[in-house]
């Protein structure tokens, strides 16, 4: 599974390679903006999750499944990992890896919550 958060992403070539290798692709809130800024319209996540206060509505309109979660006591990474866990339960299988892009390079508070 691949999770894209709202901080700096690796080069487009790396994003495309990780995307192709992932069975589930999730953006968390403004992560969809970062993804679009890096690769344009080429990639659309399977799921977008978050309170969507940062996500651009025109990008969300392209996503097959948008989960609005306004719980301010959970951060975006936690919400995205919840989507991954739910997908595992539904499919009754585990993902070998969960790769997280955009976890660092933003505010210190967000970086620390991603480590927690």
């Amino acid at each position: 599974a691949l999770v894209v958060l709202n901080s700096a992403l690796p080069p487009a070539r790396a994003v495309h390679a990780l995307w192709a290798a992932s069975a589930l692709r999730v953006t968390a809130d403004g992560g969809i903006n970062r993804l679009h800024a890096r690769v344009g319209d080429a990639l659309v996540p399977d799921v977008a999750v978050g309170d969507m206060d940062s996500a651009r509505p025109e990008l969300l309109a392209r996503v097959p499944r948008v989960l609005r979660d306004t719980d301010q006591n959970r951060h975006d990474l936690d919400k995205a990992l919840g989507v991954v866990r739910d997908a595992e339960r539904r499919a009754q299988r585990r993902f070998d890896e969960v790769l997280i892009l955009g976890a660092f390079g933003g505010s210190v508070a967000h970086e620390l919550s991603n480590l927690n």
Side-chain angles (χ1 to χ4, degrees):
L2 181 66
V3 172
V4 180
L5 302 177
N6 191 14
S7 285
L9 299 182
R13 184 175 177 175
V15 173
H16 278 280
L18 294 170
W19 198 269
S22 300
L24 175 66
R25 299 137 186 136
V26 180
T27 57
D29 201 357
I32 195 165
N33 304 344
R34 294 286 185 152
L35 178 66
H36 187 264
R38 180 65 74 209
V39 300
D41 292 333
L43 304 176
V44 176
D46 302 303
V47 182
V49 65
D51 63 8
M52 304 308 171
D53 65 338
S54 301
R56 291 176 31 205
E58 68 273 17
L59 299 178
L60 290 175
R62 301 172 52 223
V63 179
R65 188 167 173 226
V66 176
L67 303 173
R68 295 188 192 279
D69 184 338
T70 59
D71 183 351
Q72 295 300 309
N73 293 316
R74 294 175 56 220
H75 52 82
D76 289 339
L77 177 57
D78 187 42
K79 293 173 186 180
L81 292 175
V83 170
V84 173
R85 284 188 297 268
D86 289 346
E88 287 179 326
R89 278 193 288 267
R90 280 194 315 276
Q92 295 185 333
R93 74 173 194 88
R94 296 193 55 87
F95 293 104
D96 293 332
E97 298 177 324
V98 178
L99 304 172
I100 301 166
L101 301 181
F104 301 105
S107 74
V108 173
H110 285 154
E111 288 180 355
L112 291 175
S113 68
N114 289 338
L115 288 173
N116 185 9

